[in-house]
Amino acid sequence: IAFLFIETSLIIMLWIQIKKRRQAEIKTRKSEERYTLAVRGSTDGLWDWKTLSGEVFYSDRFKELIGYSPDEFPGTFDSFRDHLHPEDLDATLKAIEQHHQERVPYDVEYRLRTKRGEYKWFRARGQAIWDEHGKVLRMAGSIQDINERKQMGKKSQSLRDELNHMSRVLSMGEIAASLAHEINQPLTAIRSYAQAAQRLLARDTPDLHEVDKILTGIVTGNRRAEAVIQRIRMLMKNEQSERSLIDVKTFIKEVASLLRKNIEEHNISLRLELDANLPQVFGDRVQLQQVVLNLILNGLEAINAGGDGLRELVVRASKDAVDVVTISVQDSGIGIHEENKDRIFDAFFSTKSQGMGMGLSISRSIIEEHGGRLWVTQNPVQGATFSFTVPIHKEDLI
């Protein structure tokens, strides 16, 4: 009887084990089916990298996204690396290494070469699996096609560049009188020096020392004219944003010099209040000059629209916070109506009868792209003040 009981118990235990195994197999099969359906139904390309062997599973969709058939793309990490754009290679490998070592999220954008030899943009996300010793066993994730979004971003940037350029061209038209005056001064000096040199050389015994001084004056006048023309070309150029270290006082003074004659002709005084020890900022010199130029021209028009009374523009630059320089343009014009205060920076909104409504909108976009902000406040007595911030260059932070 005891033997029969033991035998029966063993049969029951065996049956339970078989049942559990079958349930596990069914569960595994269903999980695999769900995984297969997920892989087939996903619009993203999936990958599973066995880091120790270098073997990688690439889903059919992954291969399809870069123009390959299911049996064409080799299942190795090297095949992925060889298809990365050379400019994205180092950043992508560094992101993988940081994920493995520091366990920071792996979420990068890179370009992969398609079978046709073109490059497409993808966003890749993934997650590694570590053993108890912190060694990476495998890493799996997906790639998402973002090429269209990137192309749209390029088109948007191109449109912004065109609008910036158009704004500068229109601004240059408004200050043409100042520019003509600035160029005319050194040209007049050059002509006077040249005529004096002719008279000296016509003498029986020319004074060569005086001739040398005259030639020096001609060279100086030529350099002044070149500097003015160079500033005009800088403001008129239509090129991609080029950022560098900028001395705030210098770029403000350059804009003021371009506009000073134009402002004086309207019987307006321009005062600069620039802190002595302003730190450098990092940005696009031409774009930041464009913002200051727009704000000064707007202030000039506001003063002219205000009639009699105080006619003054004040440009200030100071370090009011630890990490930014604040630049402001204060006018004594008609000010901003309360109902327009929230709309004044909107594209195509203008309070001027001939205005395009793009100057302030473009200016705000430029400042925000530099990591700053642009705003307006009503002056206590008369006029308005437009202010913007630009981040200080990191090495100059105290």
Side-chain angles (χ1 to χ4, degrees), residues 183-208:
I183 296 174
N184 191 53
Q185 279 187 326
L187 291 179
T188 301
I190 290 170
R191 184 180 64 224
S192 299
Y193 280 125
Q195 290 172 342
Q198 285 177 328
R199 288 194 297 270
L200 283 172
L201 292 172
R203 295 177 182 177
D204 294 334
T205 308
D207 187 339
L208 296 181

Side-chain angles (χ1 to χ4, degrees), residues 74 202 349:
F349 176 79

Side-chain angles (χ1 to χ4, degrees), residues 43-236:
T43 57
D44 295 348
L46 305 181
W47 48 271
D48 187 349
W49 174 28
K50 295 179 181 178
T51 55
L52 299 179
S53 65
E55 181 184 355
V56 185
F57 162 76
Y58 298 105
S59 70
D60 291 350
R61 177 59 178 162
F62 183 106
K63 299 173 184 179
E64 180 186 347
L65 286 171
I66 52 176
Y68 288 92
S69 62
D71 57 348
E72 283 185 309
F73 197 74
T76 64
F77 182 77
D78 287 342
S79 60
F80 162 73
R81 184 168 51 196
D82 293 343
H83 281 71
L84 273 170
H85 194 288
E87 294 177 4
D88 303 330
L89 178 61
D90 290 343
T92 303
L93 296 180
K94 184 178 179 180
I96 294 172
E97 184 180 357
Q98 285 184 324
H99 178 65
H100 288 180
Q101 294 183 359
E102 303 172 23
R103 305 199 181 192
V104 296
Y106 177 71
D107 190 338
V108 296
E109 293 181 359
Y110 51 62
R111 286 160 288 183
L112 288 177
R113 189 180 70 252
T114 67
K115 185 179 179 181
R116 296 175 59 183
E118 304 166 337
Y119 282 97
K120 288 177 63 177
W121 277 100
F122 295 93
R123 179 186 181 186
R125 285 170 285 189
Q127 178 64 52
I129 297 175
W130 295 266
D131 64 16
E132 64 273 16
H133 304 295
K135 190 173 185 179
V136 179
L137 300 176
R138 66 194 304 173
M139 183 175 175
S142 65
I143 61 168
Q144 178 186 12
D145 187 346
I146 59 169
N147 201 59
E148 186 175 348
R149 173 169 67 80
K150 282 286 187 178
Q151 295 302 324
M152 289 298 294
K154 278 187 177 181
K155 290 179 182 178
S156 297
Q157 182 60 49
S158 177
L159 178 59
R160 285 196 297 271
D161 291 342
E162 289 295 330
L163 288 173
N164 283 341
H165 182 236
M166 181 173 63
S167 175
R168 288 197 292 273
V169 170
L170 291 173
S171 298
M172 297 305 290
E174 294 184 51
I175 61 173
S178 290
L179 297 176
H181 175 79
E182 276 221 49
I183 296 174
N184 191 53
Q185 279 187 326
L187 291 179
T188 301
I190 290 170
R191 184 180 64 224
S192 299
Y193 280 125
Q195 290 172 342
Q198 285 177 328
R199 288 194 297 270
L200 283 172
L201 292 172
R203 295 177 182 177
D204 294 334
T205 308
D207 187 339
L208 296 181
H209 179 69
E210 286 297 317
V211 171
D212 183 65
K213 287 170 60 178
I214 288 172
L215 291 175
T216 300
I218 290 174
V219 171
T220 301
N222 180 72
R223 286 175 178 166
R224 283 185 59 195
E226 284 181 347
V228 174
I229 293 169
Q230 181 63 24
R231 292 205 304 271
I232 296 170
R233 290 179 64 187
M234 287 279 291
L235 284 167
M236 292 286 284

Side-chain angles (χ1 to χ4, degrees), residues 14-49:
L14 182 60
W15 178 80
I16 292 173
Q17 287 180 352
I18 293 171
K19 185 177 181 181
K20 286 182 178 180
R21 185 180 298 172
R22 286 180 177 174
Q23 288 175 340
E25 289 174 352
I26 292 170
K27 187 176 181 180
T28 300
R29 187 172 64 252
K30 287 183 177 180
S31 178
E32 290 175 349
E33 288 174 354
R34 283 194 295 268
Y35 176 75
T36 302
L37 287 172
V39 170
R40 290 177 179 174
S42 176
T43 57
D44 295 348
L46 305 181
W47 48 271
D48 187 349
W49 174 28

Side-chain angles (χ1 to χ4, degrees), residues 241-298:
S241 177
E242 184 177 314
R243 300 196 178 189
S244 60
L245 289 177
I246 303 170
D247 181 79
V248 176
K249 288 197 292 185
T250 300
F251 92 74
I252 291 177
K253 286 178 179 177
E254 287 176 350
V255 175
S257 68
L258 285 174
L259 293 169
R260 192 172 293 279
K261 182 64 177 178
N262 201 22
I263 291 171
E264 289 173 355
E265 288 180 352
H266 288 87
N267 195 30
I268 296 172
S269 69
L270 174 63
R271 190 168 81 250
L272 302 182
E273 295 182 1
L274 313 176
D275 284 2
N277 298 314
L278 285 172
Q280 292 180 310
V281 298
F282 188 78
D284 187 302
R285 183 188 195 87
V286 173
Q287 289 187 348
L288 293 178
Q289 284 184 322
Q290 178 188 348
V291 173
V292 175
L293 184 115
N294 285 343
L295 297 182
I296 292 177
L297 287 175
N298 285 348

